[in-house]
Amino acid sequence: MKVKKYIVDSMPDALQKIRTELGKDAVIINTKEIRVGGFLGMFTKKKVEVVAATDSNPESAATARPAIAAARPATAAASSSLAGLSAPIMSPAPVAATRPATSVRPEPRPSFEAAAAATSPAPYAPAPAAPSGAKEDALLQEMKQMKEMMLRLAQAQTGTGAATAVEEALPPAFDAIRSRLVEQDVLSELAAKLVEDSILRLEEEGRPASELSAVEAGAAVKSAIVELLTKRPIEQIRQDARIVHFVGPTGVGKTTTIAKLAAEQTLKFRKSIGLITSDTYRIAAIEQLRTYASILNVPLEVVFSALDLQKALDRMQDRDMILMDTAGRNFRNEMAVSELQSLLRIEERKDTFLVLSLSMKYSDMKAVTDNFFRFGVEKVLFTKADETATLGSIVNLLHDFPLSLSYVTHGQNVPDDIHIADARNMADELVGEPHEE
């Protein structure tokens, strides 16, 4: 590791020196304002002290680049198997009219007491006596109450005995689907709930689950998954938004995703676009976005503070839309959170996307999402679908948080490898194609 300190007049001067002396892979470790010179504390000059570091072995970085380039054909091949998860957003053919999504009020997150009550065994209360004309309806309602009670009891129990009892109680076709969902990394409790809800709905319609084929069972569970994924409408970038923020942890592909969406807004919607980045911790990230900006012939501004951001926005007053990249930081760090919050505190029309990688563990994905809720994030964008064979984390996240699906990316190609999320295709991939025994 090679570390070097620079004392310069401004950050652009520092960036130029760092690029020249340490290379594009250098990382800025610390920056602060200092005063130098003068006499008896007077006539001092304000300078910026910047500490940067880079790998002392340049050969490792040089050999890494060909390896990455060689891996891209394999990535493109893998992405073809998952291309059906979404509908392409850029096509020369006219876009067919789609059925308008019904706006659904997001359900509030349950309190601790409500969650405890939901998992506690509830005493069974039979349905009240009904007139003779409604006896059949009352009987169905009573059966539904019994099934719900059994499900709550099973979820409240611990140990393999209770789990085995639930699995044995499921018809074989539905049990196979439950197992498939767990293999797709859907949380086991959620997988059981999706299957049980499907069975209850079918029996309310007078269709006993035990009499259904595997294909019919699969269709019922797929419908339950689609309903969960579309509880809030799937949304793109709002066309009336002027500033669009992209936030998320490091390494999820925010910069490449912004380039893809900038190309979409420029070529498809004919908008004049501006790019802003506050990711000054990675020199390579700035250069990557600068390259995309040059190709698209759009302006790029680099900002270091909220004050710089306002000046950059003033210089881009003629732009229809501004896409803003933010630094991927450790969002368990309160200082990093406060820095980002100052950059997102803008009064103009805005849209904010949380960017998450499908290659992340769900426990990490959930922790990141929980931290970003304070910024009013409403939309989630998933990247790297080509790097995983499971999609369960999408279902888990939308069950745990009131977020709207937006886009899914499945490769590095700009602008091709990004699509609007398709709930039906995701459900098909999660459940698979059931086959008759």
Side-chain angles (χ1 to χ4, degrees), residues 15 86 88 100-101 231 243 260 297 322 327 367 381 389 433:
L15 293 176
S86 323
K231 187 161 53 175
I243 301 173
K260 294 173 183 177
N297 193 27
I322 298 170
L381 187 159
E433 293 300 328

Side-chain angles (χ1 to χ4, degrees), residues 8 52 182 204 236 296 342 372 401:
V8 293
V182 173
E204 287 176 357
Q236 305 180 51
L296 295 171
S342 67
F372 273 104
F401 296 92

Side-chain angles (χ1 to χ4, degrees), residues 129-249:
S132 57
K135 283 183 178 180
E136 292 184 1
D137 292 340
L139 182 59
L140 288 173
Q141 181 66 22
E142 192 169 330
M143 291 174 61
K144 179 180 178 181
Q145 290 177 359
M146 291 178 65
K147 286 182 175 291
E148 291 175 347
M149 180 191 69
M150 292 174 63
L151 180 60
R152 287 197 298 269
L153 286 169
Q155 291 175 341
Q157 298 283 342
T158 56
T160 57
T164 304
V166 173
E167 291 171 13
E168 290 178 352
L170 290 174
F174 285 93
D175 187 45
I177 294 171
R178 184 200 58 77
S179 298
R180 161 74 180 182
L181 293 178
V182 173
E183 291 172 0
Q184 280 284 313
D185 290 338
V186 177
L187 297 174
S188 57
E189 298 85 354
L190 179 55
K193 182 179 185 302
L194 288 167
V195 171
E196 289 288 340
D197 287 349
S198 301
I199 291 174
L200 290 173
R201 182 171 297 180
L202 288 168
E203 295 192 350
E204 287 176 357
E205 297 172 356
R207 301 170 63 195
S210 58
E211 299 178 6
L212 297 182
S213 67
V215 174
E216 291 173 317
V221 178
K222 287 177 184 179
S223 295
I225 294 173
V226 170
E227 184 177 337
L228 188 156
L229 295 178
T230 57
K231 187 161 53 175
R232 299 185 66 177
I234 296 175
E235 298 187 25
Q236 305 180 51
I237 293 177
R238 287 194 356 250
Q239 290 303 299
D240 64 336
R242 184 165 182 271
I243 301 173
V244 184
H245 299 114
F246 295 85
V247 299

